[in-house]
Amino acid sequence: MGFPKNFLWGGATAANQLEGGVFEGGRGLANVDVCPSGADRSSVIAGHRKMLKMDDKHEYPAAEAVDFYHHFREDIRLFGEMGFKVYRLSIAWTRIFPNGDEQEPNEEGLRFYEEIFKECRKYHIQPLVTISHFDCPVYLIEKYGGWRNREMIRFYLRLCEVLFTRFKDDVTHWLTFNEINMILHAPFMGAGIYFKDGENEEQVKYQAAHYELVASALATRMAHEINPENKVGCMFAAGSAYPYTCRPEDVWEALLTDQENYFFVDVQSRGYYPSYAVKRLQKKGVFPVMDAGDAEILREYTVDFISFSYYNSRCIAAPGGGQEEAEGNLFKSAKNPYLSYSDWGWPIDPLGLRITLNQVYDRYQKPLFIVENGLGAFDEPDENGYVVDDYRIEYLREHIRAMKDAVEEDGVELMGYTSWAPIDLISAGSGEMKKRYGFIYVDKQEDGSGTLARSRKKSFYWYKKVIETNGEEL
Ligand code: P53
């Protein structure tokens, strides 16, 4: 009983929220660098406000982030101290191809990740690499329009080829796109897309999604060709939709919400557009244009495993019910009266993780991997600089319990669990520093001040114990 012996415990981060050093090592500018913090962020990430360079009226938190670029040895040592088996990280595309369409990669960028993998090996930590975590070179947006252009497939595969070849001995587990369904909610952050006046946004989004799906399938093929040991996963933002009431209209609306998200995984895992998507997208006139051969590519090169982020469930009511909306998340949701809420208004629903694990496993029957789960909260260091984050321990403990039930009682096949995030970093949704997730506190404040010093929170010692006992002591 319990978790399998080789269960992969660890933590997950993304390059642009962590690294900083955006002007170092010959790196080019990416979409996520030019997303400001503050009031304009949501319209920028949604593609409703064009911003392709930094101006002096805004703050750009990714520029320094928590400076992992210069602290990675220390940080990975701390991951090692917690006993991590796996570290999920992403590659900054523009460190490897600063513009995106060069023929040759930037050696300095490759060396940076090589050093990271070397550190990981020291502590027997296996990397799990997200090839694109909300990451698209600005140059490719300016010149080609980001993922609205089919050419992106070529540039993305060029990146993949460099990574699969160069890091053949370091990495065997890959994720093609982070939260691929986020393209529907934050298309600039997800796919480098901003909209022009009057265009059909759904059409643009599903066309871009199609290109990403084809790119993901071709990357899967390439990964297997370059190293038959490679395992490739898809990644989506999960969290089952609950009907607000047992009113059939609410149940129906919840089902539609789930389908909207499962659509991506249906294609990546089953290998074809599900009939509900074909019908509905055609009816709306937004079914993507496909090249001859696309259907075959999608069918042939499906993923080996399915990974997802889980922060909360969603609660869905049919229009016109007058329910209160939950705040703070890019996903629309009614307020679920049975749940408590985080400092940022996100519902807290551990049983929802078990429900989600069961639903996803039932649907695909492939190994699952929880690659994000965690609590963003205000942390206040005490007079000794120590953060007693019992609320975070409580959140993680309950979610790990629910995941344990899914494995032990329900037979869900689960490869591992990487919490978001093992170290404080910049929030993707809000651009804030004060929304902290880490086991490791970083002295970097909302106004940009701070020494960048790292320190262990109470949850650090707790998670170390969890890993040591393979999830038996929570
Ligand atoms: P933050 C919501 C909004 C933006 C990104 O989110 C999100 C979500 C959650 O579904 O997805 C992931 O930082 C994402 C990470 C991100 C994490 O959620 O807004 O993959 O990059 O940091 C947490 O609190």
Side-chain angles (χ1 to χ4, degrees), residues 13-14 16-17 88 90 130-135 178 372 420:
T13 62
N16 78 91
Q17 296 172 252
R88 173 180 177 232
S90 80
T130 316
I131 297 164
S132 172
H133 190 126
F134 301 152
D135 204 345
N178 181 63
E372 285 184 32
W420 185 271

Side-chain angles (χ1 to χ4, degrees), residues 69-329:
Y69 193 68
H70 297 107
H71 290 76
F72 67 92
R73 288 201 172 79
E74 178 185 352
D75 295 343
I76 294 171
R77 178 158 48 72
L78 289 165
F79 300 163
E81 192 181 319
M82 279 186 275
F84 279 23
K85 315 282 182 214
V86 63
Y87 169 37
R88 173 180 177 232
L89 71 157
S90 80
I91 303 285
W93 189 337
T94 53
R95 286 203 190 283
I96 314 299
F97 289 104
N99 286 339
D101 66 353
E102 297 90 341
Q103 291 298 330
E104 294 303 319
N106 170 34
E107 181 55 30
E108 213 177 331
L110 288 169
R111 269 209 301 273
F112 172 60
Y113 292 104
E114 205 162 67
E115 287 303 312
I116 290 178
F117 299 141
K118 211 154 101 197
E119 289 307 303
C120 287
R121 197 166 324 124
K122 264 194 206 163
Y123 307 102
H124 310 287
I125 300 172
Q126 158 184 344
L128 166 63
V129 172
T130 316
I131 297 164
S132 172
H133 190 126
F134 301 152
D135 204 345
C136 180
V138 164
Y139 181 84
L140 294 184
I141 300 174
E142 281 172 329
K143 186 149 176 212
Y144 300 92
W147 281 95
R148 47 167 89 226
N149 192 325
R150 193 175 174 102
E151 286 289 289
M152 286 296 288
I153 298 175
R154 217 154 48 82
F155 303 132
Y156 175 82
L157 290 174
R158 204 177 284 173
L159 172 69
C160 290
E161 189 175 2
V162 167
L163 300 178
F164 296 156
T165 317
R166 177 72 170 247
F167 302 126
K168 196 172 168 199
D169 297 330
D170 304 294
V171 184
T172 51
H173 285 68
W174 306 87
L175 305 177
T176 50
F177 291 94
N178 181 63
E179 291 189 340
I180 190 163
N181 51 329
M182 197 57 97
I183 196 172
L184 302 178
H185 308 277
F188 183 72
M189 190 163 75
I193 287 169
Y194 62 88
F195 297 108
K196 297 160 193 159
D197 281 346
E199 72 181 334
N200 185 333
E201 297 190 2
E202 280 225 283
Q203 187 161 37
V204 173
K205 288 193 278 193
Y206 278 101
Q207 187 64 54
H210 177 69
Y211 295 146
E212 288 196 352
L213 290 167
V214 171
S216 175
L218 290 171
T220 305
R221 172 173 77 181
M222 188 192 281
H224 290 152
E225 278 168 5
I226 292 177
N227 182 3
E229 301 283 294
N230 272 334
K231 297 271 180 263
V232 183
C234 57
M235 195 300 194
F236 79 113
S240 295
Y242 300 164
Y244 188 71
T245 70
C246 52
R247 201 161 66 105
E249 287 79 3
D250 287 347
V251 178
W252 174 245
E253 209 63 38
L255 185 133
L256 290 179
T257 301
D258 273 341
Q259 284 181 333
E260 186 177 275
N261 294 310
Y262 284 142
F263 158 70
F264 296 85
V265 189
D266 285 353
V267 177
Q268 289 175 295
S269 182
R270 295 168 167 169
Y272 54 91
Y273 275 55
S275 43
Y276 65 82
V278 175
K279 290 289 182 198
R280 285 186 209 132
L281 297 181
Q282 274 173 351
K283 187 161 179 212
K284 286 197 223 168
V286 300
F287 192 78
V289 177
M290 297 196 186
D291 275 17
D294 283 0
E296 201 189 329
I297 290 168
L298 296 176
R299 191 175 290 273
E300 287 292 311
Y301 311 109
T302 54
V303 290
D304 302 309
F305 67 96
I306 290 159
S307 80
F308 60 83
S309 60
Y310 176 87
Y311 291 91
N312 47 252
S313 55
R314 292 144 198 172
C315 185
I316 306 298
Q323 297 78 8
E324 198 187 337
E325 282 259 323
E327 353 147 9
N329 203 309

Side-chain angles (χ1 to χ4, degrees), residues 14-56:
N16 78 91
Q17 296 172 252
L18 179 75
E19 288 179 6
V22 301
F23 301 111
E24 291 179 67
R27 186 184 179 285
L29 210 58
N31 59 340
V32 277
D33 301 335
V34 296
C35 295
S37 54
D40 290 337
R41 185 177 184 86
S42 55
S43 54
V44 172
I45 67 176
H48 291 137
R49 183 192 182 97
K50 179 179 171 188
M51 191 172 280
L52 294 182
K53 48 176 171 295
M54 298 177 172
D55 62 33
D56 47 21

